[in-house]
Amino acid sequence: MNKLIIVISLFMCIYSQGVGQGVEKDSIIVRAKVYEDSIALRWAPTNHILWQQLNQYGYTIERFTIIRDSIVLNDKPKFVISTDIRPYPANTWLKIIDENDYAAIAAQAIYGESFEVSTGDGADIASIVNQVQEQEMRFAYGLLAADMSYEVAKMEGLAFVDTAVVNSEKYLYRVYANLPDTTVKTYGYVFSGASDNTTLPVLPMPKAEFGDRKVVLSWRTHEYKDIYTGYFIERSEDSLTYKRLNKVPYVNLHNGKDPGKAIKVDSLPGNNLKYYYRIVGVDAFGDEGEPSSSISGMGAAPVNTRAVLTNGLVVNNGESVKLQWTFPDEDEGMIKGFSIERSISTKGPYKSINSDLLQANERMYIDGFPNTTNYYQIVTFGAKGEVKRSHPILVQLQDSIPPDTPMGLIGFIDSTGVVTMKWQANTEQDLLGYRVYRSNFQSSEFSRVTASHLSSAIFYDTINIKTLTKDIYYKVSAIDNRFNESVISESYVIRKPDIVKPVLPVFKSLKSGNDGVNISWINSSSSDVVKHVLYRKKEGNNDWQYVEQFQLEIQDYKDMELVDSGKYSYTLVAVDKSGNESEPAKPLIVNVAGRELYNSDVFGKIYINKSKDNQAIFLKWKAGVGAKRILIFRGMADQQVTLYKSIEGSLTSFNDSSVLKEIVYKYRIQAEFSDGSRSLMSDEVSLEF
C-alpha cells in the first residue's frame, strides 16, 4: 500500500497542475463502453469546484433513443435513468476499503478531514499526504481512483451501467448536474449503441534495453491516452507462462523527455538468462486489452575493456578503407571478438559491415565497399554477451560527384501568403540537404532563399500576395556532405491567390423613358473581370436591390420593372474570376414617372411538372393574355429569379431542358405588351428536378 501511495503522490503533483491550468469552463466529460447486454458510462467534472458541488447535489442521467432499426427517429423518446446519483455515504465505504486500495483513496478524498488515507492493516500514509490539503488535490485523487477501479467510480457517483438497452437502438446519454436552479446548468453528452461494441486495441511491442541484472522497458502511451488509463507488465522465462509484475495498473508518471512514452525498470533475477516481456493495457472501465507482442533479451555484466580505433586509411586507389585498432592482449580471453559498424552520420544509425565476428586477436579490417563519408566504430563482445562500443572515427573518400537534381516539385500558396513546397527526396547516402531559389519572373535571376541547407524535402516561405505579379517561381538543388551541388531543377510556378479588387466600372448615361430606365456604362478596366452586377434603390430605402448581372459584351440595359414614380439610384459592381468585387460605381439618380401595369392574374395559376420524357421542366399557363412577349424568370435553390428566356406572346407553355438532377428550380413569368408596358410578375412556382 505504501508503495502504491508514493507512486500516486508523484502522479498527483503532475496531474493537479494540469487540472489547475487546463479547464476554465464548467463541464462534464462523458464516455461510454458497449458490452453484449449493457452500456457502461463513465463521467467526470472538469474542475474541483464543480466536483465538490456535485458530490453534494448529485447527477441526473437521461437517455434519448436516436436511432432504431437504422432509422433516425423524429420524436426521440426520452427515458430518465436516474435523478440522484452521488457518492455512497461515508459509512458504506468501510467494507471495501480493506479490499480495494483505491476505495481508501477515494473515500479519503471525498470525506477525509485531513485527507489521510489509511486501511485496516495499519498502513498509514499521513506522512505523504498531510501537506496536500488543497481541494484540487482531493479532486485529482478522486478521479485517479475512479480511473483505476470501475467499482470505485460507481461508488464515487461517476459511473453507471445501463442494462435496459436494445441491440437495434442507439442512444444519446445526457449527464447533467443537479445544481440549484439559480446556477447555470452543466451538461455532458455521449452517443452510443450496441453496434458500437469495439475491441480494445493491442499495444505495440515494447522496447527493451537490457543491462547488468536489469532491463529498461518503454512503450508508447500517447496514442492510447484516451483508451487506457494504466498498464500491467508481464514477464516470462519460456515465452509461454507469464507472471504479472505489478498488482495495480502502472500509470505513466514522470518521463519528462517524452511524456508520450512510459518507462519501467525491472530487476532481473540474473544475467545471461533470456527473459520475455509484454504489456497489457487496462481502460477506465476495468477491462484489459490483449497482451502486446513480447520482446526478449538477456542481462549482461558490463565489459571492462574496449577496443579503440586508431587509424582509418584510404587504400586501393581510393576504393577501400583500412581500419586498425588496439586492445589489451591479456584481455583477449574475456571477449568473443569484434564487429565493425559503419554509418554516414556520427549520430547513426550504425550497421555491422562484417558478416562473421572478428577474432579476439585481430587488429585490422578492410572495408571494400565504403561510402563517400564513413563513420566507423568497433564493438567489443564480452564472453557472456555484453558489448562495448568505441568512439567513432571519420574517414572520407575523394568526392566530386554532385547529387541528382531534385524532381517532382509541387507547391501551393494559401490566402495569407504562406507557400508550401515539396519534392521527391534524394536517395544519396552522402546527401546533406537542399537549397531553394525564388524569383518573381521566370526569365529573371533566381535568388537563394534558404540561409543554410534544408534537411528534408519540404520548404515553407512567406510572400506578399498584394502585388501586380500573378505568379511566383521556385527552383531546388541538392548538396552532399562535401557541398557538391546538383544541377538546379526546372522552375516550378505557383499562381498567387487573387485578393485584389477589380477597378470599378463607370456609368455613361441614365435616362428614364415611357417604357423604362435606359442605362449604359463603361466596363471595369481590370483584365480578369467576368461580369458586372446592377443594383438600384428607391429614395428613402437603405437597401440596394439586385436588378441583373451582365456578361462583358453587354454594356447597356433597359430596366422595365419600375412601377412607382419617384427617384431611383443605380450602381454597378464588377466581379473578377476569383469572386472579388470592385467598389460600387458612383451612384446615379433618375426621376421615374409611374407606369400602369396590367393585373397579375392575366396568367392565372401557373402549372409546373416534369416533361413526359423526364428530360425537362414543363411550364403551362392560360391562353388569351394578348402579350407581345412572354418573359420567363428562373432561379435555383435560394437564388433570386432573374430573366432567363423571352418567347412569343402567343405561346402558353415552355419546356426548360437546361436543368440538372436534384436541383430545386423556381420560376415566375411576366407579359410584355406592344406599348412597352408589362404585367406584374406571376406568383412563383418551383420543382425539384
Side-chain angles (χ1 to χ4, degrees):
M1 179 64 182
N2 287 338
K3 292 183 178 178
L4 167 68
I5 299 304
I6 292 172
V7 169
I8 293 176
S9 298
L10 292 174
F11 173 78
M12 288 301 97
C13 293
I14 301 169
Y15 184 82
S16 64
Q17 295 174 11
V19 171
Q21 299 171 3
V23 178
E24 295 180 358
K25 185 178 180 181
D26 291 349
S27 61
I28 299 173
I29 299 173
V30 189
R31 291 185 183 178
K33 186 169 184 180
V34 178
Y35 295 92
E36 184 175 352
D37 57 354
S38 63
I39 296 177
L41 302 176
R42 273 279 285 114
W43 62 87
T46 53
N47 61 67
H48 71 281
I49 296 175
L50 185 61
W51 175 73
Q52 287 181 309
Q53 292 174 329
L54 295 179
N55 285 342
Q56 176 184 357
Y57 293 105
Y59 305 84
T60 290
I61 305 178
E62 296 175 340
R63 187 184 72 198
F64 298 84
T65 304
I66 306 300
I67 298 174
R68 181 178 293 143
D69 297 324
S70 301
I71 298 174
V72 178
L73 303 180
N74 291 326
D75 54 351
K76 298 174 181 58
K78 169 181 153 182
F79 174 68
V80 179
I81 295 177
S82 177
T83 60
D84 188 21
I85 295 181
R86 67 182 73 193
Y88 285 19
N91 57 1
T92 62
W93 290 79
L94 298 176
K95 297 179 181 179
I96 194 173
I97 282 177
D98 291 338
E99 302 173 359
N100 191 318
D101 293 334
Y102 292 112
I105 296 170
Q108 193 66 29
I110 297 172
Y111 298 109
E113 293 183 3
S114 60
F115 203 21
E116 294 181 354
V117 180
S118 60
T119 61
D121 60 3
D124 184 3
I125 64 166
S127 60
I128 300 175
V129 297
N130 277 343
Q131 297 180 2
V132 188
Q133 300 293 327
E134 295 84 353
Q135 296 306 315
E136 286 187 355
M137 297 302 295
R138 289 179 177 266
F139 169 56
Y141 270 96
L143 291 195
L144 177 64
D147 277 348
M148 293 296 101
S149 171
Y150 191 73
E151 289 302 315
V152 172
K154 289 194 289 185
M155 294 182 69
E156 288 190 62
L158 299 176
F160 183 84
V161 178
D162 183 9
T163 57
V165 297
V166 180
N167 288 339
S168 60
E169 296 179 343
K170 284 195 172 185
Y171 310 104
L172 178 70
Y173 291 92
R174 180 169 70 174
V175 178
Y176 68 88
N178 294 339
L179 297 175
D181 293 339
T182 56
T183 306
V184 177
K185 292 296 183 182
T186 303
Y187 299 88
Y189 299 88
V190 67
F191 181 67
S192 185
S195 60
D196 295 330
N197 191 0
T198 57
T199 303
L200 289 172
V202 179
L203 293 167
M205 182 177 66
K207 294 182 179 180
E209 296 182 11
F210 287 86
D212 185 13
R213 298 178 68 91
K214 71 175 183 179
V215 60
V216 179
L217 298 170
S218 63
W219 63 95
R220 298 300 304 171
T221 59
H222 178 75
E223 295 81 355
Y224 306 94
K225 62 183 176 64
D226 293 329
I227 301 174
Y228 292 125
T229 57
Y231 303 89
F232 290 108
I233 299 96
E234 297 182 341
R235 184 179 70 198
S236 173
E237 297 180 3
D238 57 7
S239 77
L240 299 175
T241 304
Y242 282 85
K243 177 182 178 181
R244 187 159 287 182
L245 301 182
N246 50 321
K247 293 182 180 180
V248 296
Y250 173 78
V251 179
N252 184 24
L253 306 178
H254 47 268
N255 182 18
K257 292 183 179 180
D258 187 355
K261 181 173 70 174
I263 296 178
K264 183 71 172 68
V265 179
D266 183 37
S267 298
L268 300 177
N271 285 330
N272 306 315
L273 298 173
K274 195 170 188 179
Y275 294 97
Y276 301 82
Y277 287 89
R278 66 186 187 185
I279 308 297
V280 178
V282 58
D283 65 13
F285 298 87
D287 295 326
E288 297 180 11
E290 292 293 323
S292 69
S293 300
S294 62
I295 190 169
S296 62
M298 294 186 294
V303 178
N304 293 324
T305 55
R306 76 175 78 195
V308 177
L309 284 170
T310 57
N311 283 305
L313 304 174
V314 179
V315 296
N316 297 335
N317 296 322
E319 296 183 356
S320 303
V321 173
K322 179 181 178 180
L323 299 167
Q324 295 175 302
W325 62 91
T326 61
F327 187 80
D329 294 342
E330 61 273 17
D331 291 339
E332 289 179 359
M334 300 174 58
I335 64 172
K336 291 181 179 179
F338 308 101
S339 178
I340 304 297
E341 293 182 340
R342 184 183 68 198
S343 173
I344 62 173
S345 169
T346 183
K347 298 180 180 179
Y350 287 87
K351 293 184 179 180
S352 177
I353 59 174
N354 52 294
S355 56
D356 297 321
L357 196 65
L358 302 178
Q359 297 299 313
N361 61 354
E362 294 189 58
R363 300 293 186 269
M364 187 271 293
Y365 179 80
I366 300 292
D367 180 7
F369 302 96
N371 300 313
T372 303
T373 298
N374 307 271
Y375 288 89
Y376 294 99
Q377 63 183 17
I378 185 167
V379 184
T380 305
F381 289 90
K384 295 182 179 181
E386 63 273 30
V387 297
K388 198 78 170 180
R389 286 178 168 83
S390 70
H391 296 293
I393 64 170
L394 171 64
V395 181
Q396 291 182 304
L397 307 183
Q398 291 292 334
D399 178 22
S400 60
I401 301 175
D404 292 334
T405 301
M407 305 292 289
L409 275 66
I410 58 173
F412 62 89
I413 306 176
D414 67 16
S415 59
T416 64
V418 175
V419 180
T420 302
M421 285 287 302
K422 297 181 180 180
W423 53 90
Q424 297 174 7
N426 284 44
T427 58
E428 292 86 358
Q429 289 186 335
D430 62 342
L431 182 73
L432 180 62
Y434 306 92
R435 292 171 174 169
V436 180
Y437 300 82
R438 182 183 68 199
S439 176
N440 287 321
F441 304 96
Q442 188 170 12
S443 58
S444 299
E445 182 179 355
F446 281 70
S447 301
R448 180 174 160 186
V449 292
T450 48
S452 60
H453 65 275
L454 299 173
S455 58
S456 58
I458 187 170
F459 172 68
Y460 299 100
D461 195 12
T462 302
I463 64 171
N464 182 11
I465 58 177
K466 296 182 179 180
T467 62
L468 297 178
T469 57
K470 297 181 178 180
D471 301 317
I472 191 76
Y473 298 85
Y474 288 92
K475 293 182 179 182
V476 181
S477 67
I479 57 173
D480 61 19
N481 290 324
R482 296 294 185 88
F483 292 94
N484 297 310
E485 184 172 11
S486 72
V487 175
I488 299 179
S489 70
E490 294 292 328
S491 63
Y492 182 83
V493 59
I494 306 177
R495 176 58 58 94
K496 297 178 183 178
D498 182 9
I499 61 172
V500 179
K501 294 180 178 180
V503 175
L504 56 83
V506 178
F507 283 116
K508 290 174 59 180
S509 65
L510 187 68
K511 296 180 180 179
S512 176
N514 293 331
D515 57 349
V517 176
N518 296 293
I519 308 165
S520 62
W521 61 87
I522 299 174
N523 284 347
S524 167
S525 60
S526 298
S527 61
D528 59 347
V529 168
V530 294
K531 64 180 180 180
H532 293 78
V533 184
L534 181 66
Y535 298 89
R536 69 161 177 258
K537 67 177 179 179
K538 189 176 180 181
E539 184 179 35
N541 292 338
N542 294 324
D543 298 329
W544 288 94
Q545 180 184 1
Y546 168 86
V547 178
E548 187 61 272
Q549 60 183 10
F550 310 97
Q551 302 301 317
L552 298 182
E553 59 269 17
I554 300 176
Q555 292 182 260
D556 55 68
Y557 176 71
K558 179 180 288 187
D559 184 6
M560 296 185 292
E561 296 293 323
L562 300 180
V563 179
D564 299 332
S565 61
K567 289 185 178 181
Y568 289 85
S569 298
Y570 287 84
T571 189
L572 197 65
V573 173
V575 183
D576 66 16
K577 294 178 181 178
S578 300
N580 299 312
E581 294 187 355
S582 71
E583 296 295 330
K586 182 179 180 181
L588 293 184
I589 301 174
V590 64
N591 284 313
V592 176
R595 291 187 295 130
E596 186 173 337
L597 301 183
Y598 290 87
N599 196 288
S600 62
D601 63 4
V602 295
F603 293 106
K605 183 178 180 180
I606 308 298
Y607 172 82
I608 184 170
N609 207 341
K610 294 183 180 179
S611 61
K612 292 183 179 180
D613 59 1
N614 287 324
Q615 300 299 313
I617 292 179
F618 178 67
L619 298 171
K620 185 174 177 60
W621 54 91
K622 72 179 183 180
V625 174
K628 179 181 179 181
R629 291 192 306 161
I630 301 294
L631 305 179
I632 299 174
F633 295 79
R634 187 182 81 169
M636 291 185 291
D638 57 354
Q639 295 178 354
Q640 185 176 358
V641 296
T642 57
L643 182 61
Y644 176 55
K645 296 287 185 181
S646 174
I647 61 176
E648 290 293 327
S650 60
L651 297 178
T652 60
S653 64
F654 174 69
N655 268 331
D656 187 2
S657 59
S658 300
V659 289
L660 300 173
K661 297 290 185 182
E662 299 181 356
I663 299 293
V664 175
Y665 292 89
K666 52 189 181 182
Y667 299 87
R668 299 178 76 180
I669 61 177
Q670 185 180 44
E672 182 177 278
F673 301 94
S674 300
D675 61 357
S677 62
R678 295 186 188 182
S679 72
L680 294 178
M681 296 179 70
S682 70
D683 292 337
E684 184 176 281
V685 293
S686 62
L687 177 70
E688 182 176 357
F689 190 73

